[in-house]
Amino acid sequence: MYDQPKAFRPIVLLNILGKLIEKVIAERLQFTVTSNDFIHLSQLDRLKFKSTTDASVALMHIVHSGWAKGKSTSTLAFNISQFFPLLNHHLLVLIFEKAGLEPKVSSFFANYLIMRKTSYLWNNLSFLSFTVNIGVGQESALSPILLALYLIPLLYILEKHLINLKIPVFILSFVDNGLIIAQNKSLDISNSHLFCSYNILSKLLVSFGLIVKHAKTEVFNFNRLHGAFNPPLLDLSLIGGPTLCSKDTWKYLGFIFNHKLTFHRYIDHYLNKAILMVKCMKLLGNSMRGINPVQKCQLYRCCILPIVLYSFQL
C-alpha cells in the first residue's frame, strides 16, 4: 500500500476538517434564516427539503391551473453568468445583518470572504502576504445557502417592481437558473409580460454585480390545443437578448417537457438510459469471480431503479 509523505497528511486532514466545519456552518445558517422566514418562497435551490422535483411540480401546478382557466402558459428560462465568482462580498455581509444574524456571524464572513490573505512558500523561502479576492466556491458546502441569501433582496425587489407595474408573472429560482412564467389567453400578451419582466431582471442583476447570460435564455409555451401549434417569436434584441422561438420539447433541470405535458419523450429517455445501464451491468458478471444474485439485486436497486423512477411524481 502506498504510504503518503508525513508532510502531506496534515494538509489532507486540514482540508477534511475545513469541509466539515463548512457543513456545520451551512446547516446553522439554513436553520436560522428558515426559522426567520427570510427565504423567498420562489427559491427552490439546493435548500433543505427542496429539490429539482419541487421546481418542476410547482411549474406543472401553475400550467394546469392556467389550463383550468382557459389560459396558455409561457415560460422564459434564464441563466446568470459567472454567478459564483461575481458575488459582491460586501453586499453579502449586509444581507447577513438584514437576515437577523448575530454581529459575530457577519464579522466572521467578512473575514472569510473579504479580508482573506495568502502568501507563497517555496522550501525555506517565504514571500510577503497579499490580499486575494475569491468568489464563493462552487463545490463548497456553504455555496447553496450563500447564493440563496444573495438572491433574496433581488427577488423581493423584482417582485415589488412587477406588482407596481401590474405585470402578472410567477418567478421560480434554482441556483443560477430561473424561470419567469406568464399566463394569458393571448400568447402575444404573455410575450409582452415576459419581455418587460426580463428587462427589469437584467437591470437588477447588473445593479447586484451579476450578468444574465443571453445565450442560454430559452422560451417555451405550454398549450393543450389539438392540431398544429405555432407560438409567436419572442424578440429580446431591444434589450440585448436573442430572438427566441419555442421548440417542440424543452429540457430543463433534467426533465423533458412538451406542449401538452404528456412526458412521452421523458419516459423514453430514462428507460433507454436504464436499459443501457442494465447492459453495462452484465460486464460485472463476466469477471473471473462474477457476482452472485444478491449482489445483482443490490446493483439493480441502487443503479437502475433511481434512473427509472427519477421524479416519478411528475
Side-chain angles (χ1 to χ4, degrees):
M1 184 176 179
Y2 176 71
D3 188 18
Q4 294 178 343
K6 293 182 179 180
F8 183 71
R9 295 173 187 170
I11 298 176
V12 175
L13 182 60
L14 285 174
N15 288 336
I16 295 174
L17 289 176
K19 291 180 180 179
L20 288 175
I21 293 172
E22 284 185 348
K23 287 185 178 181
V24 172
I25 296 174
E27 291 284 341
R28 296 302 303 168
L29 278 177
Q30 285 207 33
F31 175 80
T32 303
V33 297
T34 304
S35 60
N36 293 342
D37 293 329
F38 193 67
I39 299 291
H40 197 276
L41 292 177
S42 65
Q43 288 181 300
L44 302 171
D45 44 351
R46 291 193 293 178
L47 299 172
K48 286 291 184 183
F49 311 113
K50 294 184 179 181
S51 64
T52 54
T53 303
D54 297 319
S56 299
V57 169
L59 173 60
M60 287 185 59
H61 174 74
I62 294 172
V63 172
H64 282 291
S65 63
W67 284 348
K69 300 174 184 177
K71 298 179 180 180
S72 296
T73 302
S74 301
T75 61
L76 183 66
F78 61 89
N79 180 271
I80 302 174
S81 177
Q82 298 292 317
F83 195 176
F84 293 90
L86 290 180
L87 292 188
N88 187 322
H89 298 156
H90 294 278
L91 177 58
L92 188 58
V93 172
L94 292 176
I95 294 173
F96 282 133
E97 297 175 358
K98 290 291 184 180
L101 298 172
E102 297 182 9
K104 59 183 179 182
V105 177
S106 302
S107 177
F108 166 79
F109 278 97
N111 293 320
Y112 177 76
L113 296 172
I114 301 173
M115 305 175 185
R116 182 170 292 193
K117 294 184 178 182
T118 189
S119 63
Y120 293 108
L121 179 66
W122 182 265
N123 294 329
N124 295 326
L125 181 63
S126 60
F127 298 87
L128 295 176
S129 61
F130 58 92
T131 305
V132 290
N133 184 18
I134 62 167
V136 176
Q138 188 167 354
E139 301 300 328
S140 171
L142 282 168
S143 62
I145 185 60
L146 292 182
L147 297 181
L149 285 171
Y150 194 82
L151 283 178
I152 288 172
L154 185 144
L155 291 172
Y156 278 114
I157 295 172
L158 176 62
E159 185 180 54
K160 186 176 181 180
H161 277 65
L162 295 175
I163 292 174
N164 292 337
L165 294 175
K166 296 181 180 180
I167 301 177
V169 297
F170 304 93
I171 304 291
L172 292 180
S173 172
F174 195 89
V175 196
D176 55 348
N177 297 291
L179 274 183
I180 304 175
I181 307 169
Q183 287 185 329
N184 202 284
K185 294 183 178 180
S186 170
L187 289 177
D188 291 320
I189 296 177
S190 294
N191 278 355
S192 65
H193 290 163
L194 293 178
F195 178 89
C196 295
S197 303
Y198 188 75
N199 186 24
I200 297 171
L201 174 68
S202 301
K203 293 179 179 178
L204 281 176
L205 285 173
V206 172
S207 64
F208 275 73
L210 302 173
I211 303 172
V212 65
K213 196 168 187 177
H214 296 299
K216 289 191 175 181
T217 305
E218 296 178 298
V219 67
F220 191 79
N221 297 279
F222 295 93
N223 194 303
R224 58 179 177 178
L225 295 177
H226 297 287
F229 178 59
N230 298 310
L233 299 176
L234 177 58
D235 187 7
L236 302 175
S237 59
L238 294 177
I239 54 177
T243 299
L244 303 174
C245 176
S246 180
K247 301 178 182 179
D248 294 331
T249 58
W250 174 46
K251 189 172 183 180
Y252 186 70
L253 298 178
F255 308 102
I256 302 175
F257 298 99
N258 63 351
H259 299 297
K260 297 182 180 181
L261 290 178
T262 55
F263 289 100
H264 295 318
R265 286 283 301 275
Y266 176 83
I267 294 172
D268 290 341
H269 173 77
Y270 282 98
L271 279 179
N272 289 331
K273 193 173 181 179
I275 291 172
L276 180 62
M277 184 67 71
V278 170
K279 292 180 179 179
C280 293
M281 283 173 54
K282 292 181 180 179
L283 299 175
L284 298 175
N286 294 332
S287 61
M288 183 177 297
R289 183 177 179 181
I291 55 177
N292 57 47
V294 175
Q295 292 172 333
K296 290 181 180 180
C297 181
Q298 290 176 345
L299 277 175
Y300 176 78
R301 295 177 63 182
C302 296
C303 301
I304 307 302
L305 287 183
I307 296 175
V308 176
L309 300 179
Y310 175 62
S311 296
F312 69 94
Q313 298 93 330
L314 301 182

